[in-house]
Amino acid sequence: MATIKEVSLLARVSPATVSRVLNGTTPVASATRVRVLEAVEALQYKPNAFARGLATNRSGGIGVTVNAVSSPFFGAFVAGVEQVLRPAGIHLMLSSGFADLANERESIEFLLERRCDGLIVQAERLDDGFLVDLVRGPTPVVIFGRRIAEIADACVVTDNELGGRLATAHLLDHGHRRIGHVTGPLAFPDARARLHGYRRALEGAGVAYDERYVVESTFDEEGGAQAAVRLLERAPELTALFLSNDQMAAGAMRALRERAIEIPTDLSIVGYDDVFLARYLTPALTTIRQPLVDMGRTAAHLLLGRLGHIGEEVVHRFDPELVERQTVARVAA
Amino acid sequence: MATIKEVSLLARVSPATVSRVLNGTTPVASATRVRVLEAVEALQYKPNAFARGLATNRSGGIGVTVNAVSSPFFGAFVAGVEQVLRPAGIHLMLSSGFADLANERESIEFLLERRCDGLIVQAERLDDGFLVDLVRGPTPVVIFGRRIAEIADACVVTDNELGGRLATAHLLDHGHRRIGHVTGPLAFPDARARLHGYRRALEGAGVAYDERYVVESTFDEEGGAQAAVRLLERAPELTALFLSNDQMAAGAMRALRERAIEIPTDLSIVGYDDVFLARYLTPALTTIRQPLVDMGRTAAHLLLGRLGHIGEEVVHRFDPELVERQTVARVAA
DNA sequence: TTGTAGGCGTTATCAC
DNA sequence: GTGATAACGCCTACAA
């Protein structure tokens, strides 16, 4: 692969001049400029990013770690990030953490070693302390999906408690009083916040919080299916279920259908996330939407600001909103 | 950030020795080795990937471009790639092409500039010539999802014609004779191949191919919905529809339900891809599955082979298979 | 406007 | 087993 020196030879100028033409750092006489460009074209010259990075100490790319690039949930977020970074001429280096501590750490180190100019991090397992250190380190970092008090202005989050309240309030509004809740693993702050919102909404409406109506499970279909069944066996008087994400809701719907429980006639259901599949379920799932694309855009803007680009004013906390579809019915009188 | 020199100073050895310890290239006395490791730890030293890349001319990562990282379809593929590359200590640099010519080209150039050790490319718009040149260039490249004769052994594909035949044969087996087909944009070889398979299956069963039963559309829900409606207006005698992908099928199902057409009673439907959502549709969609994860794994193995790792024998062309669910009924007598 | 020269942090090739 | 030293390809003062 051609080097800047070969180009300079062919164009009969110094390497420095080639560099100047390519980077536009200093004016260059248009005649020489043309010669250089021609030589570049002729040699199919592409600057060596290593050498450039070594010289400038910048990579021209920013790193993004999310739990799983392949998940539709994070996909939407990444799409938002890409929307604003592309036009700014910044490229993305993606890396999946797969909800594994070692993986998450490695991913970040990998990106850091490549001297990413900045980092957008969504991590499930890494502890707050690690992230605080990261944010306070030399590389600009934005955290997605987790609010850490010490570094709140580097975090982009939605208000999960509000989301839990919205979901529950929606059911209360439809006359439900015996509302079950399937939480995600309570090790996750998101799951805890949603549970908390559920509880607050209940108590705000004068409905006593009942432990028997709550069960913890995993954030997947199987988790939703099993928990829903268990909950209904334990408390058949339930008229509605709020599940901590859409996959769980999908699993619950399947399991309940197999048991001839009609939705929403016999039981109302609300999910969380408004994942792609929510609208395809039958009946279509009423759920809580997080503005993921917007959040991605915001995270990118925030990072851009930290990178010294002219910043925009930026919202750090987004409000989730209810998406009403077909899984909630007014409770039978 | 600490450099190798600082480490060498602290450990009271030469930079060369530090390098040796870290890379295990040459035996080092265990006493010095320990001193080095301690210094590395103390200084939190991380090798600078730029400098290393410059010296070795390798990046330790391979590049992947797909149409959209965020799509579940490509997500599965990328997951497969990651499964085999991770254990090999190779990292991924992802970049989305977004079915845009300039973007696709830029993505590849970006990855090439970073001196990726290898490339896995899925491209919608780039022409064959470009890809042939790319594969014949200095960097090892594997092409996913397109078979180009001149470089067939660098391509990992499924047999789309076979897929088209399978889908159509399944409908024929259920007694259908008047089968419509909604193709994707015929500019895409995949769409053409599926159409071709459809036609061959028909003719193989002694059913004349009828142009009126075929309509071209876009690879999304709207495309599927509109095309299905148009097709049925034009040819209400149709008893079955084969759509060129699942999104289209989903759109068609929605549109038809709105028109009170019962599936599969009134009309049978087969999709293509077995995307995540296929099983969530109601009724669940009968479709053609491509073994995406396996294909990702294969692409990675293939690339590893080209990178000089011990290669495995590798299949280049995968057979799609029918996934029977609930959208196909035996035709009414 | 252009050229020269030094340095960025590693690895690799020699010697010792 | 270890230490100098010369690349690797680019950028950026500084000079001219």
Side-chain angles (χ1 to χ4, degrees), chain A residues 49-50 53-54 59 69-70 75 82 86 91-92 94 96 98 103 110 113-115 221 276-277 280 282, chain B residues 49-50 53-54 59 69-70 75 82 86 91-92 94 96 98 103 110 113-115 221 276-277 280-282:
Chain A
F50 293 140
L54 192 54
S59 71
V69 187
S70 44
E82 207 157 9
R86 265 284 161 103
H91 285 264
L92 252 53
L94 285 182
S96 295
F98 294 120
N103 255 331
F110 175 75
E113 277 178 25
R114 315 276 132 167
R115 299 298 189 274
E221 278 176 66
F276 187 64
L277 82 88
Y280 289 103
T282 311
Chain B
F50 293 141
L54 192 55
S59 71
V69 186
S70 44
E82 206 156 11
R86 264 286 161 101
H91 285 264
L92 284 181
L94 285 182
S96 296
F98 294 120
N103 255 331
F110 174 77
E113 279 177 26
R114 314 277 132 167
R115 298 296 186 274
E221 278 175 68
F276 186 64
L277 82 87
Y280 289 104
L281 293 170
T282 312

Side-chain angles (χ1 to χ4, degrees), chain B residues 91-142:
Chain B
H91 285 264
L92 284 181
M93 303 176 63
L94 285 182
S95 183
S96 296
F98 294 120
D100 173 86
L101 184 60
N103 255 331
E104 291 187 349
R105 188 173 327 214
E106 262 180 45
S107 290
I108 290 177
E109 282 182 1
F110 174 77
L111 294 169
L112 248 27
E113 279 177 26
R114 314 277 132 167
R115 298 296 186 274
C116 280
D117 298 347
L119 231 49
I120 294 178
V121 175
Q122 183 270 330
E124 310 272 302
R125 304 291 191 217
L126 256 21
D127 58 45
D128 284 5
F130 182 96
L131 294 177
V132 170
D133 289 348
L134 188 63
V135 169
R136 294 199 172 140
T139 306
V141 175
V142 169

Side-chain angles (χ1 to χ4, degrees), chain B residues 62-293:
Chain B
I62 71 113
V64 180
T65 26
V66 293
N67 186 32
V69 186
S70 44
S71 112
F73 184 82
F74 296 113
F77 174 74
V78 172
V81 172
E82 206 156 11
Q83 276 176 26
V84 353
L85 257 25
R86 264 286 161 101
I90 295 178
H91 285 264
L92 284 181
M93 303 176 63
L94 285 182
S95 183
S96 296
F98 294 120
D100 173 86
L101 184 60
N103 255 331
E104 291 187 349
R105 188 173 327 214
E106 262 180 45
S107 290
I108 290 177
E109 282 182 1
F110 174 77
L111 294 169
L112 248 27
E113 279 177 26
R114 314 277 132 167
R115 298 296 186 274
C116 280
D117 298 347
L119 231 49
I120 294 178
V121 175
Q122 183 270 330
E124 310 272 302
R125 304 291 191 217
L126 256 21
D127 58 45
D128 284 5
F130 182 96
L131 294 177
V132 170
D133 289 348
L134 188 63
V135 169
R136 294 199 172 140
T139 306
V141 175
V142 169
I143 307 289
F144 167 65
R146 195 190 304 190
R147 189 171 182 285
I148 303 174
E150 300 100 298
I151 50 170
D153 58 344
C155 299
V156 174
V157 295
T158 53
D159 190 337
N160 280 290
E161 205 214 278
L162 173 56
R165 287 208 315 270
L166 287 175
T168 312
H170 183 68
L171 292 167
L172 288 164
D173 286 350
H174 280 72
H176 297 275
R177 286 298 174 270
R178 296 185 299 277
I179 303 170
H181 178 38
V182 181
T183 78
L186 292 174
F188 293 128
D190 288 4
R192 286 203 303 276
R194 290 169 198 176
L195 168 59
H196 199 235
Y198 158 81
R199 182 170 186 160
R200 263 191 63 189
L202 247 32
E203 296 177 343
V207 177
Y209 172 82
D210 185 340
E211 272 192 344
R212 289 175 47 252
Y213 288 177
V214 175
V215 73
E216 178 179 356
S217 191
T218 52
F219 265 140
D220 53 18
E221 278 175 68
E222 260 321 287
Q226 289 173 9
V229 169
R230 199 159 7 126
L231 212 42
L232 284 176
E233 279 170 0
R234 186 203 284 177
E237 69 273 22
L238 290 173
T239 62
L241 230 46
F242 162 40
L243 296 104
S244 202
N245 82 6
D246 289 348
Q247 330 277 336
M248 299 169 102
M253 286 171 68
R254 180 170 44 68
L256 297 176
R257 180 160 43 233
E258 283 165 8
R259 282 164 181 71
I261 296 178
E262 199 76 27
I263 294 164
T265 330
D266 301 335
L267 192 80
S268 290
I269 287 197
V270 177
Y272 205 107
D273 281 345
D274 194 26
V275 162
F276 186 64
L277 82 87
R279 35 195 296 247
Y280 289 104
L281 293 170
T282 312
L285 180 63
T286 294
T287 185
I288 302 293
R289 170 184 299 157
Q290 314 193 49
L292 288 171
V293 174

